[in-house]
Amino acid sequence: MRLKGGPTQDEVMAVSLFKLGIQDGDVMADVGCGTGKISIQASGICCHIYAIDRRAEAIDYAKREIENAGAENITLLHGDAVHALDEIGALDCAFIGGSGNIETVLDKLAEKVSGRIVVNAVLLDTVSRAVAKMKELGIFVEVVHLQVSRSYELVGDLMFKPIHPVFIIVGEVKQ
Amino acid sequence: MRLKGGPTQDEVMAVSLFKLGIQDGDVMADVGCGTGKISIQASGICCHIYAIDRRAEAIDYAKREIENAGAENITLLHGDAVHALDEIGALDCAFIGGSGNIETVLDKLAEKVSGRIVVNAVLLDTVSRAVAKMKELGIFVEVVHLQVSRSYELVGDLMFKPIHPVFIIVGEVKQ
Amino acid sequence: MRLKGGPTQDEVMAVSLFKLGIQDGDVMADVGCGTGKISIQASGICCHIYAIDRRAEAIDYAKREIENAGAENITLLHGDAVHALDEIGALDCAFIGGSGNIETVLDKLAEKVSGRIVVNAVLLDTVSRAVAKMKELGIFVEVVHLQVSRSYELVGDLMFKPIHPVFIIVGEVKQ
Amino acid sequence: MRLKGGPTQDEVMAVSLFKLGIQDGDVMADVGCGTGKISIQASGICCHIYAIDRRAEAIDYAKREIENAGAENITLLHGDAVHALDEIGALDCAFIGGSGNIETVLDKLAEKVSGRIVVNAVLLDTVSRAVAKMKELGIFVEVVHLQVSRSYELVGDLMFKPIHPVFIIVGEVKQ
């Protein structure tokens, strides 16, 4: 099975998790968790992760991946992000890899999170909306535009193949 | 038919021809002309263009494209670039889009050209070799790394799709 | 004197003029002409260019540059772009390098131009607004994100120095 | 005090450490440690880090930074990398942020390391040499070209400022 959008690319994940500044003991939300890749990577450092997706097929996919990885500190939540977030307590950070309504999710996260919120966006409109909402909430830090190319072999030499550029939008809630 | 490598992307062509600094009355060589795209674009400004390729299928392809474009100032030369260049006179500039032996071609062009030489390279080794040879010949100007992404529509919004990054190596022969 | 923003970088200019598709005989507007660099470059191909800027210092600067370049087919217009455009006739293409109110300028250009309109933007909000307005006018074609790095010498080797990334927004009016 | 080259940028560090795949219990070498930034970041995960630099001012600088960070599992080694590496035992991974002679350092690391070796390079020649040496040693994995731009505020809107592009060269020793 292949989920729409596919997993976050390694380099984008590395920068996103760095910007989140995850630490030992953190409780994190992964909104629009998709394949579960970000949650699994973060599970090595965080204390607990709530991985949320409203697509049943994403939850199924992530469930298998989490089992294969042997990660035991991830709770999968199937459903709308705002409702799911209502069910859980305080968070140290949150990652948004995909979301239907970025504004309401950011509103909710601004209440729940005490720390960094990082959004990955490839759609221009999502970038603008996430920035505008973060500015309104007084939590905007920066946008990072990441353009990665990876080498591959061609006739014994190296060529570079670009991956899709991603905007990484960073916010911080100081509570 | 599809030629290996495909035509130069529009944005890469625009920057390459700008770096060549082609002007009214120029005589230009297009080494490894492939589909003929660079020659056809340059033919609107240059006086005459020698388009060279050692692949018979490239010559056939370029021939049709040149006819379709109605360009009448392009001479197609089938064969090895160094031999082909031996047959023609002085040049005002030269573009190398592809070449089997970049060093011998640059040696030959350094004799023939009085002006700019621009190389497009995607292979890392070709970049190093073109730069080293241009430095040896005392004609090196700069390398430009061009990373272009183009928007496409996705669910009513815009996403960016990158094209392969290209190194544009610029030399200038002052004679 | 140094104008705010500085001149358009060569590679950005090359791609922007290529996307404009300027041809022999074209009448072009250059809105927010700044140093006049785009107008001067285009003047070698276009029939006539109206270079508009509301900053007196830009007009002064461009005037000197145009004289130095010996370009005789550029009319400098000092003032608001919409008013200036009201004074001139039909256009084949238009470039917007800077503008106070992108929406009203695009409204006006959509009336005047029969052909390509290209906007250079570095501000995220300007990109969104130009795209939204072009879509509303039914003239949107694409956005190109251009990331250029140029080599410079360091201890006998080459390093790459990036220039500011630019969004090139392309529209086309079919009349 | 400012060290030549300056500290590795956050995003480049995040991707480099991800490619290193550092894990709990790892012993790592940081060759050309400069300000000590990479060592300090890695010290939260690795068991022990040997930070090597032949510049006395780098060692002084890194010493202060390491003390400020309270990292207690970093051993600073002042001197030539190859000699310093001779003094230490087996390594799980190694990062090369700067080095006088990339070939001899890679030769030595290929003996000592059982795992990933990651080189950061901004000089074109260093990229070619690191790749060539890694291929000769049979440990080459990939090169990642990383182009990061960060937003900054301009008149209430966001503009993007690029940082210098970096080549991240990845090798893996399987012993």
Side-chain angles (χ1 to χ4, degrees):
Chain A
M1 195 192 81
R2 221 182 107 79
L3 272 181
K4 195 168 113 331
T8 305
Q9 299 285 342
D10 285 352
E11 296 84 356
V12 177
M13 177 170 71
V15 174
S16 297
L17 290 177
F18 182 86
K19 294 289 176 181
L20 268 182
I22 50 172
Q23 294 183 323
D24 239 352
D26 277 0
V27 178
M28 169 178 159
D30 178 5
V31 177
C33 67
T35 63
K37 183 175 176 177
I38 295 281
S39 289
I40 292 165
Q41 181 71 19
S43 72
I45 294 175
C46 289
C47 170
H48 200 84
I49 295 158
Y50 295 97
I52 305 164
D53 211 295
R54 57 181 169 187
R55 299 164 294 171
E57 67 271 27
I59 296 295
D60 288 346
Y61 195 115
K63 192 164 184 291
R64 276 195 306 279
E65 295 286 313
I66 290 166
E67 280 168 9
N68 290 342
E72 298 184 340
N73 54 350
I74 303 173
T75 303
L76 274 168
L77 299 170
H78 179 208
D80 175 73
V82 174
H83 294 158
L85 289 165
D86 269 334
E87 304 299 308
I88 63 182
L91 295 165
D92 297 296
C93 58
F95 174 78
I96 307 178
S99 165
N101 190 326
I102 193 79
E103 284 89 353
T104 54
V105 171
L106 284 172
D107 270 331
K108 181 55 67 183
L109 287 174
E111 292 170 20
K112 291 274 176 181
V113 173
S114 181
R116 287 279 175 118
I117 298 173
V118 169
V119 180
N120 278 6
V122 292
L123 294 172
L124 193 56
D125 202 39
T126 305
V127 181
S128 300
R129 287 166 55 196
V131 169
K133 188 67 193 179
M134 281 189 180
K135 284 189 171 182
E136 182 198 315
L137 292 164
I139 63 170
F140 177 69
V141 176
E142 65 171 344
V143 183
V144 172
H145 181 267
L146 198 67
Q147 175 67 64
V148 173
S149 296
R150 298 195 195 112
S151 68
Y152 61 102
E153 296 271 338
L154 191 73
V155 292
D157 197 354
L158 296 182
M159 215 178 133
F160 287 91
K161 191 168 186 168
I163 64 173
H164 281 59
V166 176
F167 293 91
I168 298 171
I169 305 132
V170 183
E172 184 160 18
V173 187
K174 287 164 181 152
Q175 282 174 336
Chain B
M1 195 193 79
R2 222 183 106 80
L3 271 181
K4 196 169 116 317
T8 304
Q9 298 287 339
D10 284 354
E11 296 85 355
V12 177
M13 177 169 71
V15 174
S16 297
L17 290 177
F18 182 85
K19 294 289 176 181
L20 268 181
I22 51 172
Q23 294 184 321
D24 239 351
D26 277 358
V27 178
M28 169 178 157
D30 178 5
V31 177
C33 68
T35 64
K37 184 175 175 177
I38 294 281
S39 289
I40 292 166
Q41 182 70 20
S43 72
I45 295 176
C46 289
C47 171
H48 201 84
I49 295 158
Y50 295 97
I52 305 164
D53 212 293
R54 58 180 169 186
R55 297 165 295 172
E57 66 272 27
I59 296 295
D60 287 348
Y61 196 115
K63 190 163 185 289
R64 277 195 306 278
E65 295 287 314
I66 290 166
E67 281 168 9
N68 290 342
E72 297 184 340
N73 54 349
I74 303 173
T75 303
L76 274 168
L77 299 170
H78 179 209
D80 174 73
V82 174
H83 294 159
L85 289 165
D86 269 333
E87 305 298 308
I88 62 183
L91 295 164
D92 296 297
C93 57
F95 174 78
I96 307 179
S99 164
N101 190 327
I102 193 78
E103 285 88 354
T104 54
V105 171
L106 284 172
D107 269 331
K108 180 57 65 184
L109 287 173
E111 292 170 19
K112 291 274 177 180
V113 173
S114 180
R116 286 282 175 117
I117 299 172
V118 169
V119 180
N120 278 7
V122 292
L123 296 172
L124 192 56
D125 202 39
T126 305
V127 181
S128 300
R129 287 166 55 196
V131 170
K133 188 67 192 178
M134 282 190 179
K135 284 189 170 183
E136 182 198 314
L137 291 165
I139 63 172
F140 177 70
V141 175
E142 66 172 343
V143 182
V144 172
H145 181 266
L146 198 66
Q147 175 66 67
V148 174
S149 296
R150 298 192 196 115
S151 69
Y152 61 102
E153 296 271 338
L154 190 74
V155 291
D157 197 353
L158 296 182
M159 216 178 132
F160 288 90
K161 192 168 186 167
I163 64 173
H164 281 56
V166 176
F167 293 91
I168 299 172
I169 304 133
V170 183
E172 183 159 19
V173 188
K174 286 163 181 152
Q175 283 175 335
Chain C
M1 193 192 80
R2 221 181 108 80
L3 271 180
K4 193 168 114 329
T8 304
Q9 299 286 340
D10 285 353
E11 296 84 356
V12 178
M13 177 170 71
V15 174
S16 297
L17 291 177
F18 181 85
K19 294 287 177 183
L20 269 181
I22 51 172
Q23 294 183 321
D24 239 351
D26 276 358
V27 178
M28 169 178 157
D30 178 5
V31 177
C33 68
T35 63
K37 183 174 177 178
I38 294 281
S39 289
I40 292 166
Q41 181 70 19
S43 72
I45 295 176
C46 288
C47 170
H48 200 85
I49 295 157
Y50 295 97
I52 305 164
D53 211 295
R54 57 180 171 187
R55 299 166 294 172
E57 67 271 27
I59 296 294
D60 288 347
Y61 196 115
K63 191 165 185 289
R64 277 196 306 279
E65 295 287 314
I66 290 166
E67 281 169 9
N68 290 342
E72 297 184 340
N73 53 350
I74 303 173
T75 303
L76 274 168
L77 299 171
H78 179 207
D80 175 74
V82 174
H83 295 159
L85 289 166
D86 269 333
E87 305 299 309
I88 62 184
L91 294 164
D92 296 297
C93 57
F95 174 79
I96 307 178
S99 165
N101 190 328
I102 193 78
E103 284 89 354
T104 54
V105 172
L106 284 173
D107 270 330
K108 181 55 66 184
L109 286 174
E111 292 170 20
K112 291 274 176 181
V113 173
S114 180
R116 287 280 175 117
I117 299 173
V118 169
V119 180
N120 278 5
V122 291
L123 295 172
L124 193 56
D125 203 39
T126 305
V127 181
S128 299
R129 287 166 54 197
V131 169
K133 188 66 191 181
M134 282 190 180
K135 284 188 172 184
E136 182 198 314
L137 292 164
I139 64 171
F140 177 70
V141 175
E142 66 171 345
V143 182
V144 172
H145 182 266
L146 198 66
Q147 175 66 65
V148 173
S149 297
R150 298 194 195 112
S151 69
Y152 62 101
E153 296 270 339
L154 190 75
V155 293
D157 197 353
L158 296 181
M159 217 179 131
F160 288 91
K161 192 168 187 168
I163 64 173
H164 280 58
V166 177
F167 293 91
I168 300 172
I169 305 131
V170 183
E172 183 159 21
V173 189
K174 286 161 181 154
Q175 282 174 337
Chain D
M1 195 191 79
R2 220 181 107 79
L3 272 180
K4 193 166 115 325
T8 305
Q9 299 286 340
D10 285 353
E11 295 84 357
V12 177
M13 177 170 70
V15 174
S16 297
L17 290 177
F18 182 85
K19 293 290 177 183
L20 268 182
I22 50 171
Q23 293 184 323
D24 238 351
D26 277 359
V27 178
M28 169 178 157
D30 178 5
V31 177
C33 67
T35 64
K37 183 174 176 178
I38 295 281
S39 288
I40 292 165
Q41 181 71 19
S43 72
I45 294 176
C46 289
C47 169
H48 200 84
I49 296 157
Y50 294 97
I52 306 165
D53 211 294
R54 58 179 169 190
R55 298 166 295 172
E57 67 272 27
I59 296 294
D60 287 347
Y61 196 116
K63 191 162 185 291
R64 277 195 306 279
E65 295 286 313
I66 290 166
E67 280 168 9
N68 290 341
E72 298 184 340
N73 54 349
I74 303 173
T75 303
L76 274 168
L77 298 171
H78 178 209
D80 174 73
V82 174
H83 294 157
L85 289 165
D86 269 334
E87 304 298 309
I88 63 183
L91 296 164
D92 296 298
C93 57
F95 174 78
I96 306 178
S99 164
N101 189 327
I102 193 79
E103 284 90 354
T104 55
V105 171
L106 285 172
D107 269 331
K108 181 55 68 185
L109 287 173
E111 292 170 19
K112 291 274 177 181
V113 174
S114 180
R116 287 280 175 118
I117 299 173
V118 169
V119 180
N120 278 6
V122 292
L123 295 172
L124 193 57
D125 203 38
T126 305
V127 181
S128 300
R129 286 167 54 197
V131 170
K133 188 65 192 181
M134 282 190 180
K135 283 189 172 183
E136 182 197 315
L137 292 164
I139 64 171
F140 177 70
V141 175
E142 66 171 345
V143 182
V144 172
H145 182 266
L146 198 67
Q147 175 66 66
V148 173
S149 296
R150 298 195 195 112
S151 69
Y152 62 102
E153 296 271 338
L154 190 75
V155 293
D157 197 353
L158 296 182
M159 217 178 132
F160 289 90
K161 191 167 187 168
I163 63 172
H164 281 58
V166 176
F167 292 91
I168 299 172
I169 304 131
V170 183
E172 184 160 17
V173 188
K174 285 162 181 154
Q175 282 173 338

